[in-house]
Amino acid sequence: MKQFTYSFILFTFLVPNLLFGETTKQKTLSDYEPILRNAITQFETVFKSSPKKHDLVEQKVNFMMGQAIKGEITFLIDMNANQDLSAMGFVDFYNENKKPAIVIGTYFLDLFDKNPSIFYSALVHEFTHAYDFFNSQRYFLFYKNNRIVKALFEADAYAIESLFIQNYLVTQKIRLTKFESFLIDDFEKTGMSKIILINQIASLPLLHSFLDIRDSKDSIETKVNSLNQIGQNLIAKYDSIPSLKEQEIKMEILAFYFTYRVLLDQLVYDIEQKESEEIINPETFTLEKYPNLLQTQKEITQKIKIYEKEFEDYIIKENLRIRTEI
């Protein structure tokens, strides 16, 4: 698609590999450039040719294609990216005073001939992040290092990606990868809860509850009491965990406890910051002014220690699986 503006970054020197006594030429940046151009052209064709459309997908993709045509976002090839499905991402480059970019690892380009669908799906995912940046830049930049909001941004991007797969790939009978099949199954059955558990190590249902409390018009005291009640409910149900025989369900339940333990400080900080006219120093912020809430958090922290290794092993195993299974 000639109207797109492309710019590329080369991160490594390329040295021939010697295999079985013969020199195998590694691909260079110039080898990958036409592959990327073709991949984006094919994406545009698939997107426009679909007999079925979805308003949210159309909104994100059309807007970002327009930004690309205007040169407001670039596409960069990363020769050093991971060799798995994490090898594509959106980078805002805001602090470097450069235009934002979709950074694409060679993994996707090497796979394109055999598995083009995963390039299309991942691109829609990153277009969604880019759309959020362009349309809510202040919010995006303020919260981009906030684990709660980051997880919710990811859930939204995975949802749009799933809608794209359902409405643009499946309808055109384009063969899906295992990851894409997993994603639409998760979208239909749990609303992205499993991918967020594996990818962000968080309970999506609890994050939604956190956000509802944060954004309510209640007083800080009422919000803190609500959070304490959530924690007390978790403590009351703790003894039922050993009876959970199915691993998937057990991990989903444990995610509530680990999310509460890890992200509670961030949430209360966000609640206070929302009401404050000055920036609160996150380095010195503590829950000590809320002794009941702090005690609840400590009790949950102590109780779930016995499950830490099991939970961590599950996350590592599943994260590796979804990043590498094609």
Side-chain angles (χ1 to χ4, degrees):
M1 189 163 49
K2 294 181 180 178
Q3 64 265 43
F4 271 83
T5 299
Y6 301 96
S7 61
F8 305 92
I9 292 179
L10 177 60
F11 291 98
T12 59
F13 292 105
L14 298 169
V15 181
N17 282 335
L18 199 62
L19 296 175
F20 304 108
E22 295 182 3
T23 300
T24 302
K25 183 179 180 296
Q26 291 187 357
K27 288 180 182 175
T28 65
L29 183 64
S30 60
D31 293 322
Y32 281 113
E33 290 176 5
I35 299 174
L36 178 57
R37 284 194 291 270
N38 176 60
I40 296 176
T41 299
Q42 294 304 316
F43 167 77
E44 185 182 27
T45 299
V46 167
F47 176 70
K48 291 183 175 179
S49 300
S50 177
K52 192 174 181 182
K53 310 289 184 184
H54 192 283
D55 288 346
L56 287 175
V57 179
E58 294 286 313
Q59 178 190 55
K60 315 294 184 188
V61 174
N62 283 324
F63 178 84
M64 289 315 306
M65 287 171 69
Q67 295 303 113
I69 290 169
K70 292 187 291 186
E72 294 301 316
I73 188 168
T74 59
F75 296 85
L76 309 178
I77 294 177
D78 184 352
M79 302 291 286
N80 263 359
N82 293 337
Q83 289 298 304
D84 58 35
L85 294 179
S86 66
M88 190 185 299
F90 169 71
V91 184
D92 61 73
F93 286 127
Y94 185 79
N95 293 329
E96 299 175 47
N97 198 29
K98 294 192 295 187
K99 288 183 178 179
I102 305 293
V103 181
I104 300 163
T106 57
Y107 178 79
F108 283 95
L109 303 179
D110 287 332
L111 279 176
F112 185 74
D113 282 345
K114 185 178 179 181
N115 294 295
S117 69
I118 194 63
F119 175 89
Y120 305 149
S121 300
L123 187 60
V124 170
H125 183 106
E126 301 310 330
F127 271 175
T128 303
H129 288 312
Y131 178 92
D132 290 336
F133 170 77
F134 277 99
N135 289 278
S136 307
Q137 189 172 113
R138 185 178 176 185
Y139 184 87
F140 184 95
L141 293 171
F142 187 80
Y143 282 112
K144 73 174 183 177
N145 294 319
N146 182 309
R147 278 195 59 190
I148 297 173
V149 178
K150 184 176 184 294
L152 293 170
F153 272 138
E154 285 299 326
D156 182 54
Y158 279 124
I160 299 299
E161 184 178 356
S162 300
L163 289 169
F164 170 76
I165 296 167
Q166 287 178 327
N167 292 279
Y168 296 78
L169 301 185
V170 173
T171 55
Q172 297 185 76
K173 295 182 170 53
I174 295 173
R175 186 171 67 87
L176 305 180
T177 61
K178 290 180 182 179
F179 176 76
E180 289 163 302
S181 297
F182 158 76
L183 203 62
I184 57 175
D185 184 65
D186 188 37
F187 178 65
E188 292 168 356
K189 292 179 179 177
T190 77
M192 313 299 1
S193 289
K194 183 166 183 179
I195 186 65
I196 295 305
L197 168 58
I198 297 168
N199 185 268
Q200 298 295 311
I201 319 177
S203 165
L204 186 58
L206 185 54
L207 291 182
H208 283 308
S209 296
F210 278 179
L211 206 64
D212 288 342
I213 292 171
R214 187 199 74 179
D215 293 340
S216 75
K217 295 181 180 179
D218 293 332
S219 66
I220 292 178
E221 181 182 5
T222 299
K223 292 178 182 181
V224 168
N225 288 338
S226 296
L227 293 173
N228 191 51
Q229 187 59 55
I230 289 174
Q232 287 299 312
N233 289 341
L234 289 174
I235 291 170
K237 296 175 181 177
Y238 174 80
D239 289 338
S240 67
I241 294 175
S243 66
L244 299 172
K245 303 305 180 186
E246 189 175 334
Q247 187 189 44
E248 296 292 316
I249 295 175
K250 185 178 182 181
M251 294 304 114
E252 289 171 13
I253 297 302
L254 284 174
F256 279 86
Y257 292 83
F258 284 100
T259 302
Y260 190 91
R261 183 193 73 179
V262 173
L263 298 181
L264 185 64
D265 293 70
Q266 175 72 70
L267 178 62
V268 178
Y269 170 85
D270 291 346
I271 288 171
E272 285 201 7
Q273 183 62 74
K274 200 166 184 282
E275 301 296 325
S276 176
E277 295 181 358
E278 299 179 355
I279 298 296
I280 300 171
N281 185 353
E283 300 299 323
T284 59
F285 178 81
T286 72
L287 294 180
E288 290 181 358
K289 67 173 77 172
Y290 309 109
N292 291 339
L293 185 62
L294 181 59
Q295 180 57 39
T296 297
Q297 184 193 45
K298 286 181 177 179
E299 190 172 348
I300 286 176
T301 299
Q302 186 62 36
K303 282 181 174 296
I304 61 174
K305 279 184 178 180
I306 191 174
Y307 294 111
E308 281 183 351
K309 181 68 166 57
E310 182 182 2
F311 187 71
E312 180 183 344
D313 288 347
Y314 171 81
I315 295 297
I316 292 172
K317 182 191 72 169
E318 288 298 293
N319 189 275
L320 178 64
R321 180 181 66 80
I322 66 168
R323 285 190 293 109
T324 57
E325 271 192 358
I326 290 293

